Amino acid sequence: MSKVVSSLNEIIDLLKIEDGMTVSFHHHLRNGDYVLNMVLEALAQKGLKNLTVNASSVFDTHQPLIGHIQNGVVTGLEANYIGGVVGRAISEGVLAKPVTFRTHGGRPSDISKGTAPIDVAFIAAPTADTMGNCTGKYGKSACGSLGYAFADAQYAKKVVVITDNLVPYPLTDFSIPEIYVDYVLEVDSIGNPAGIVSGTTKITRDPVGLVMAQYAAKAIQASGLLKNGMSFQTGAGGPSLAAAKFLMDIMLKEGVKGSFGLGGITKYMVDMMNAGCFESLLDVQCFDLDAVESIRTNPRHREISAMQYASPNAKSCAVDSLDVVILGATEIDTDFNVNVHTDSNGYIMGGSGGHSDTAAGAKMAMIIAPLTRARLSIVVDKVLCKSTPGNTIDVLVTQHGIAVNPLKPELALRFKDAGLPVCDIHELKRVAEGITGVPKRIKLGDKTVANVIYRDGTLLDTIKSVR
Amino acid sequence: MRRSILFMPGNNPGMLLNADILGADGIILDLEDAVSPKEKDAARILVRNAIKYLGYRKSEVIVRINSLDTEFWTKDLDEIVPFKPDFIMVPKISTAADILVADEYITKLEEKLGFEKNTVKLMPLVETALGVENAYAIASATPRVRAMLLGGEDLTADLRCKRTKEGNEIFYSRSRIVVACRAAGIDCYDTPFTDVNDAEGLIKDAEFAKSLGFTGKSSISPRHVADINAVFSPTQADIDYAIEVMAIIKEAKEKGLGVVALRGKMIDAPIVNRAVQVLEAAKAMGVKIDE
């Protein structure tokens, strides 16, 4: 028996894909992904309509999706993150039905519960064998972890693995096993390596970013959580990486041995593990080549599924054991609610990803952001979109001071004792608006273009169209 | 605290916006070398508005105006003095007469504005051989002069020698400036270390400056500020000793003793003053001190 088929057309026929079905994709190939566009193009050629796309994330490279929406091929979209290009079209109302935004943990939870059923999962795999055992660790399009694809493989009615590195059976070092896979398709290329992983992720050299990063590292040190066994997650943004670097310096100086580093993994987290700051890395997604190399060669660098990363429906997940997470924000309001979905004009340009999952799980969730961006205060009265509830955010670090959620008075005391510049979040807003002035509230349209579903499946907020 | 003063270009709004959060004890908003002649008026307005609207609560504000041989310096002072910067830095000061020219102009402005005299202090930038030789005269020319900066780059050009990392060529000038300033009872800042990527060299240079008696050191890079602050901050041993001194003095006062000794050394007024300075600096650094 062989699961290898010759073309997407053949698969569409074999699987009897019909109008109105849901097809799913993962985003490990990030902005280098060819697979989502390739599959939708084939489905469109077949004349299929009214499809729902459930992608763990949508990047700017998926711009052709807008055309498929306009032509009625795609009428439903579910994602955890949507980049600015497709996001803008959504905000302008291209899709009749609201987008469903989930979180990285909420998506596998909803898929496993059956509230987000998938008819056919198309899994881009940098290496696969003829029976569908597949991995992201090897091949010319290597992306490291395939964490977001596990739930699709496990719960979709049908599963297709698409690879540009077909190897003889059995591929032993697989991530997703053959037991879930119906068909395997070999193509010339599943993605552009330059867009899949950035060659290097760089620490910011911006002096303001470095000030924030230093405050963040010192705040972690002062929090009482920096001790043997600490677990840690940080984003791939410049100041977040710099904070990790400063934290590493502190951990090495003080001889602190952490437990695990979590999340999207960068070179800096790999360096921290190799320097002895962490026993292991739990990796749902690799951000750069160093992370890919590490997950391939170091058994202490472990691939985990999105479900194990953050699903509230799992019997346990890693974010529940997380001590500290550093996150970003496009806006934060005086109740500490955070927006990572829209820009200041209301256009969709992101999504929760693991933001609200890690904030909910971590003992200390820290936002790091410059107090003003371009012409606006980062601190506002009310965020345009509530991506992460304020009661799960503990600390806001800006270059002008650190605001602590009043729900955590003991943290504020610890920071003050350490000489950190603690101030009220309203004071930060006042300082920012002293520089920028008070902006007029933007007026959004009446149409709901997206529903933001919290990790537990409840509706957290809606995003309105931009007029 | 006066450990680090950081040069910031006066024509860069992004940097001015965050000038006081970079950890420098003083920020030098530069209208001189960082700004081309065509942009002098724009930078002047930008710096004026930055001081007016941003407040800069976390650092002393020093504005470097253009030198007295240009057409710009009086306009600089007209715009800036009304917003009460802590210091005006005047470049290329070689004689007491030079600094008195600036002093006189600021005095008139202060009178016109109804400010108390010497509200705005002066920090001459000494960067010529003549300036070094006249350092004490400059430092003591007027009570408005409260600090001085040594400018090593222009100075070595004037001395016709090469500026090196080791700095042997400015050893005499550094010493002379320190003695002049201390004799006049004012603060003195060392010249910047210009290799932005050489942290080790910076620390060595700053430690040397501290050993000569400088109050602090200037910098052209935000990345140098933390190291300069660290070098010019009191050490834990300094702090511990200062705490002991203050405790002994307190005890002596309570017992009505006139003279006290600590570890066989008499504790006199200079030692107490030094202890007070150390503890003030430590507190400003956020060190918790139980007294």
Side-chain angles (χ1 to χ4, degrees), chain A residues 205 207-208 210-211 214-215 372 374 399-401 417-419 427 430-431 434-435, chain B residues 14-15 17-18 20-23 53-54 57-58 196-197 222-223 226 285-286 288:
Chain A
R205 288 170 67 96
V208 174
L210 291 173
V211 167
Q214 242 155 4
Y215 283 158
T372 58
Q399 75 273 40
H400 285 276
D417 278 355
E427 170 65 9
R430 200 190 59 73
V431 169
I435 298 166
Chain B
M15 290 190 78
L17 204 54
N18 290 299
D20 69 336
I21 59 102
L22 299 167
Y53 292 109
L54 301 178
R57 293 161 304 167
K58 294 171 187 165
V196 174
N197 296 315
R223 279 194 271 161
M285 283 156 50
K288 280 204 358 182

Short mmCIF file of all heavy atoms in Angstrom, two decimals, chain A residues 205 207-208 210-211 214-215 372 374 399-401 417-419 427 430-431 434-435, chain B residues 14-15 17-18 20-23 53-54 57-58 196-197 222-223 226 285-286 288:
data_model
loop_
_atom_site.label_atom_id
_atom_site.label_comp_id
_atom_site.label_asym_id
_atom_site.label_seq_id
_atom_site.Cartn_x
_atom_site.Cartn_y
_atom_site.Cartn_z
N ARG A 205 19.44 47.15 19.56
CA ARG A 205 20.52 48.06 19.95
C ARG A 205 19.94 49.41 20.34
O ARG A 205 20.67 50.32 20.73
CB ARG A 205 21.50 48.24 18.80
CG ARG A 205 22.35 46.98 18.57
CD ARG A 205 23.12 47.11 17.27
NE ARG A 205 24.12 48.16 17.35
CZ ARG A 205 25.40 47.94 17.64
NH1 ARG A 205 25.81 46.72 17.88
NH2 ARG A 205 26.26 48.94 17.67
N PRO A 207 18.69 52.17 22.43
CA PRO A 207 18.92 52.41 23.85
C PRO A 207 17.64 52.37 24.69
O PRO A 207 17.67 51.93 25.84
CB PRO A 207 19.57 53.79 23.91
CG PRO A 207 19.56 54.34 22.54
CD PRO A 207 19.23 53.25 21.58
N VAL A 208 16.53 52.81 24.11
CA VAL A 208 15.26 52.79 24.86
C VAL A 208 14.81 51.35 25.09
O VAL A 208 14.40 50.97 26.18
CB VAL A 208 14.19 53.60 24.11
CG1 VAL A 208 12.84 53.47 24.82
CG2 VAL A 208 14.60 55.06 24.02
N LEU A 210 16.75 48.83 25.28
CA LEU A 210 17.67 48.23 26.26
C LEU A 210 17.30 48.65 27.68
O LEU A 210 17.41 47.85 28.61
CB LEU A 210 19.11 48.61 25.93
CG LEU A 210 19.67 47.97 24.66
CD1 LEU A 210 21.04 48.52 24.32
CD2 LEU A 210 19.74 46.45 24.79
N VAL A 211 16.86 49.88 27.84
CA VAL A 211 16.42 50.34 29.17
C VAL A 211 15.24 49.49 29.63
O VAL A 211 15.20 48.99 30.76
CB VAL A 211 16.05 51.84 29.15
CG1 VAL A 211 15.30 52.23 30.42
CG2 VAL A 211 17.29 52.70 29.00
N GLN A 214 16.30 46.01 30.54
CA GLN A 214 16.99 45.95 31.82
C GLN A 214 16.01 46.02 32.99
O GLN A 214 16.13 45.27 33.96
CB GLN A 214 18.00 47.08 31.94
CG GLN A 214 19.41 46.54 32.06
CD GLN A 214 20.46 47.50 31.59
OE1 GLN A 214 20.17 48.64 31.22
NE2 GLN A 214 21.69 47.05 31.60
N TYR A 215 15.01 46.90 32.85
CA TYR A 215 13.96 46.96 33.88
C TYR A 215 13.26 45.60 33.99
O TYR A 215 12.98 45.12 35.09
CB TYR A 215 12.92 48.02 33.53
CG TYR A 215 13.32 49.46 33.78
CD1 TYR A 215 12.68 50.51 33.10
CD2 TYR A 215 14.30 49.79 34.71
CE1 TYR A 215 13.02 51.83 33.33
CE2 TYR A 215 14.65 51.12 34.93
CZ TYR A 215 14.01 52.14 34.23
OH TYR A 215 14.33 53.45 34.45
N THR A 372 5.37 55.37 24.35
CA THR A 372 4.70 55.97 23.18
C THR A 372 5.22 55.27 21.93
O THR A 372 6.37 54.87 21.86
CB THR A 372 5.01 57.48 23.04
OG1 THR A 372 6.42 57.65 22.94
CG2 THR A 372 4.48 58.26 24.22
N ALA A 374 5.23 55.97 17.81
CA ALA A 374 4.95 57.00 16.81
C ALA A 374 4.30 58.18 17.49
O ALA A 374 4.92 58.90 18.26
CB ALA A 374 4.12 56.46 15.68
N GLN A 399 9.80 52.39 29.32
CA GLN A 399 11.05 53.08 29.61
C GLN A 399 10.87 54.16 30.67
O GLN A 399 11.82 54.61 31.28
CB GLN A 399 11.67 53.67 28.33
CG GLN A 399 10.99 54.91 27.77
CD GLN A 399 9.84 54.59 26.85
OE1 GLN A 399 9.05 53.67 27.09
NE2 GLN A 399 9.72 55.36 25.78
N HIS A 400 9.63 54.57 30.89
CA HIS A 400 9.38 55.63 31.87
C HIS A 400 8.96 55.10 33.23
O HIS A 400 8.72 55.88 34.15
CB HIS A 400 8.31 56.59 31.34
CG HIS A 400 8.81 57.50 30.26
ND1 HIS A 400 9.47 58.67 30.52
CD2 HIS A 400 8.79 57.39 28.91
CE1 HIS A 400 9.82 59.25 29.39
NE2 HIS A 400 9.42 58.49 28.39
N GLY A 401 8.81 53.81 33.35
CA GLY A 401 8.45 53.26 34.65
C GLY A 401 7.71 51.94 34.51
O GLY A 401 7.38 51.51 33.41
N ASP A 417 11.18 47.84 46.64
CA ASP A 417 12.31 47.50 47.50
C ASP A 417 13.60 47.35 46.70
O ASP A 417 14.69 47.60 47.19
CB ASP A 417 12.05 46.17 48.25
CG ASP A 417 11.20 46.40 49.49
OD1 ASP A 417 10.93 47.58 49.79
OD2 ASP A 417 10.81 45.41 50.13
N ALA A 418 13.46 46.91 45.46
CA ALA A 418 14.63 46.71 44.60
C ALA A 418 15.04 48.01 43.90
O ALA A 418 15.95 48.01 43.09
CB ALA A 418 14.34 45.63 43.57
N GLY A 419 14.35 49.10 44.22
CA GLY A 419 14.71 50.39 43.63
C GLY A 419 14.21 50.57 42.21
O GLY A 419 14.67 51.46 41.50
N GLU A 427 -0.61 57.11 35.93
CA GLU A 427 0.48 58.09 35.87
C GLU A 427 1.26 57.91 34.56
O GLU A 427 1.63 58.90 33.91
CB GLU A 427 1.40 57.90 37.09
CG GLU A 427 2.72 58.66 37.07
CD GLU A 427 2.56 60.17 37.11
OE1 GLU A 427 1.43 60.64 37.33
OE2 GLU A 427 3.57 60.87 36.87
N ARG A 430 -0.66 59.48 31.91
CA ARG A 430 -0.57 60.93 31.99
C ARG A 430 0.75 61.43 31.39
O ARG A 430 0.79 62.39 30.62
CB ARG A 430 -0.68 61.38 33.46
CG ARG A 430 -1.09 62.83 33.67
CD ARG A 430 -0.94 63.24 35.12
NE ARG A 430 0.43 63.10 35.62
CZ ARG A 430 1.44 63.88 35.29
NH1 ARG A 430 1.26 64.88 34.47
NH2 ARG A 430 2.65 63.65 35.77
N VAL A 431 1.84 60.73 31.73
CA VAL A 431 3.16 61.10 31.19
C VAL A 431 3.14 60.99 29.66
O VAL A 431 3.58 61.89 28.94
CB VAL A 431 4.28 60.19 31.78
CG1 VAL A 431 5.59 60.38 31.03
CG2 VAL A 431 4.47 60.47 33.26
N GLY A 434 1.10 63.60 28.10
CA GLY A 434 1.80 64.89 28.20
C GLY A 434 2.69 65.10 26.98
O GLY A 434 2.96 66.23 26.58
N ILE A 435 3.15 64.01 26.41
CA ILE A 435 4.02 64.09 25.22
C ILE A 435 3.17 64.12 23.95
O ILE A 435 3.39 64.93 23.06
CB ILE A 435 4.97 62.87 25.17
CG1 ILE A 435 5.90 62.88 26.40
CG2 ILE A 435 5.78 62.88 23.89
CD1 ILE A 435 6.62 61.55 26.62
N GLY B 14 13.28 61.89 18.38
CA GLY B 14 13.13 60.57 18.98
C GLY B 14 14.03 60.41 20.20
O GLY B 14 13.63 59.86 21.22
N MET B 15 15.26 60.91 20.09
CA MET B 15 16.18 60.78 21.21
C MET B 15 15.82 61.76 22.32
O MET B 15 15.93 61.44 23.50
CB MET B 15 17.63 60.98 20.75
CG MET B 15 18.09 59.83 19.88
SD MET B 15 19.86 59.84 19.53
CE MET B 15 20.50 59.19 21.07
N LEU B 17 12.93 62.71 23.14
CA LEU B 17 11.74 62.19 23.81
C LEU B 17 12.10 61.28 24.97
O LEU B 17 11.42 61.25 25.99
CB LEU B 17 10.93 61.41 22.76
CG LEU B 17 9.45 61.23 22.96
CD1 LEU B 17 8.76 62.57 23.16
CD2 LEU B 17 8.86 60.53 21.74
N ASN B 18 13.18 60.56 24.82
CA ASN B 18 13.57 59.58 25.84
C ASN B 18 14.89 59.93 26.51
O ASN B 18 15.51 59.08 27.13
CB ASN B 18 13.66 58.19 25.20
CG ASN B 18 12.30 57.65 24.82
OD1 ASN B 18 11.44 57.47 25.68
ND2 ASN B 18 12.07 57.45 23.53
N ASP B 20 15.83 61.40 29.17
CA ASP B 20 16.09 61.26 30.61
C ASP B 20 15.82 59.86 31.15
O ASP B 20 15.81 59.67 32.36
CB ASP B 20 15.29 62.31 31.40
CG ASP B 20 13.80 62.05 31.36
OD1 ASP B 20 13.34 61.38 30.41
OD2 ASP B 20 13.09 62.51 32.27
N ILE B 21 15.59 58.90 30.28
CA ILE B 21 15.33 57.56 30.80
C ILE B 21 16.52 56.63 30.58
O ILE B 21 16.43 55.43 30.79
CB ILE B 21 14.06 56.93 30.19
CG1 ILE B 21 14.16 56.84 28.67
CG2 ILE B 21 12.83 57.73 30.57
CD1 ILE B 21 14.48 55.49 28.19
N LEU B 22 17.64 57.20 30.12
CA LEU B 22 18.76 56.34 29.76
C LEU B 22 19.73 56.13 30.93
O LEU B 22 20.78 55.53 30.77
CB LEU B 22 19.49 56.93 28.55
CG LEU B 22 18.58 57.03 27.31
CD1 LEU B 22 19.22 57.90 26.24
CD2 LEU B 22 18.27 55.65 26.74
N GLY B 23 19.37 56.66 32.07
CA GLY B 23 20.16 56.40 33.28
C GLY B 23 21.22 57.45 33.57
O GLY B 23 21.89 57.38 34.60
N TYR B 53 8.13 70.93 27.57
CA TYR B 53 7.01 69.98 27.64
C TYR B 53 7.38 68.64 28.30
O TYR B 53 6.52 67.96 28.83
CB TYR B 53 6.45 69.71 26.23
CG TYR B 53 5.79 70.93 25.65
CD1 TYR B 53 6.36 71.62 24.60
CD2 TYR B 53 4.58 71.41 26.19
CE1 TYR B 53 5.77 72.77 24.08
CE2 TYR B 53 3.98 72.53 25.67
CZ TYR B 53 4.57 73.21 24.61
OH TYR B 53 3.98 74.33 24.11
N LEU B 54 8.64 68.24 28.18
CA LEU B 54 8.98 66.91 28.70
C LEU B 54 9.43 66.95 30.16
O LEU B 54 9.39 65.96 30.86
CB LEU B 54 10.07 66.25 27.84
CG LEU B 54 9.70 66.06 26.37
CD1 LEU B 54 10.86 65.46 25.59
CD2 LEU B 54 8.48 65.15 26.23
N ARG B 57 12.41 64.96 34.47
CA ARG B 57 12.49 64.89 35.93
C ARG B 57 13.62 64.00 36.43
O ARG B 57 14.00 64.05 37.57
CB ARG B 57 11.16 64.37 36.49
CG ARG B 57 10.01 65.33 36.30
CD ARG B 57 8.70 64.59 36.44
NE ARG B 57 8.63 63.45 35.50
CZ ARG B 57 7.73 62.50 35.57
NH1 ARG B 57 6.85 62.48 36.53
NH2 ARG B 57 7.71 61.53 34.67
N LYS B 58 14.12 63.14 35.55
CA LYS B 58 15.06 62.12 36.04
C LYS B 58 16.53 62.49 35.84
O LYS B 58 17.40 61.74 36.26
CB LYS B 58 14.76 60.79 35.35
CG LYS B 58 13.40 60.23 35.74
CD LYS B 58 13.01 59.04 34.91
CE LYS B 58 11.59 58.61 35.20
NZ LYS B 58 11.07 57.71 34.19
N VAL B 196 32.68 53.48 21.13
CA VAL B 196 31.38 53.07 21.66
C VAL B 196 31.34 51.57 21.96
O VAL B 196 30.61 51.13 22.84
CB VAL B 196 30.27 53.45 20.63
CG1 VAL B 196 28.93 52.91 21.06
CG2 VAL B 196 30.22 54.96 20.48
N ASN B 197 32.15 50.79 21.24
CA ASN B 197 32.06 49.33 21.39
C ASN B 197 33.08 48.74 22.37
O ASN B 197 33.12 47.53 22.56
CB ASN B 197 32.22 48.67 20.03
CG ASN B 197 31.07 49.04 19.11
OD1 ASN B 197 29.92 49.02 19.52
ND2 ASN B 197 31.40 49.42 17.88
N PRO B 222 24.63 56.21 24.90
CA PRO B 222 23.81 55.72 26.01
C PRO B 222 24.34 54.40 26.58
O PRO B 222 24.15 54.10 27.74
CB PRO B 222 22.43 55.49 25.36
CG PRO B 222 22.42 56.33 24.15
CD PRO B 222 23.84 56.41 23.68
N ARG B 223 25.03 53.64 25.73
CA ARG B 223 25.54 52.34 26.17
C ARG B 223 26.65 52.48 27.21
O ARG B 223 27.01 51.51 27.87
CB ARG B 223 26.05 51.55 24.97
CG ARG B 223 24.92 50.88 24.22
CD ARG B 223 25.44 49.85 23.25
NE ARG B 223 25.72 50.47 21.96
CZ ARG B 223 26.52 49.94 21.04
NH1 ARG B 223 27.15 48.82 21.29
NH2 ARG B 223 26.68 50.54 19.89
N ALA B 226 25.68 53.18 32.00
CA ALA B 226 25.61 52.28 33.16
C ALA B 226 27.00 52.01 33.73
O ALA B 226 27.18 52.01 34.95
CB ALA B 226 24.93 50.97 32.75
N MET B 285 21.06 55.92 44.43
CA MET B 285 21.20 54.73 43.58
C MET B 285 20.17 53.66 43.91
O MET B 285 20.10 52.63 43.25
CB MET B 285 22.58 54.09 43.78
CG MET B 285 23.72 54.81 43.10
SD MET B 285 25.27 54.43 43.96
CE MET B 285 25.19 52.66 44.06
N GLY B 286 19.42 53.88 44.98
CA GLY B 286 18.39 52.91 45.34
C GLY B 286 18.88 51.88 46.35
O GLY B 286 18.20 50.89 46.62
N LYS B 288 19.30 50.41 49.87
CA LYS B 288 18.57 50.59 51.13
C LYS B 288 19.56 50.67 52.29
O LYS B 288 20.42 49.83 52.43
CB LYS B 288 17.59 49.43 51.34
CG LYS B 288 16.35 49.65 50.53
CD LYS B 288 15.08 49.01 50.92
CE LYS B 288 15.00 48.10 52.07
NZ LYS B 288 13.69 47.53 52.28
#
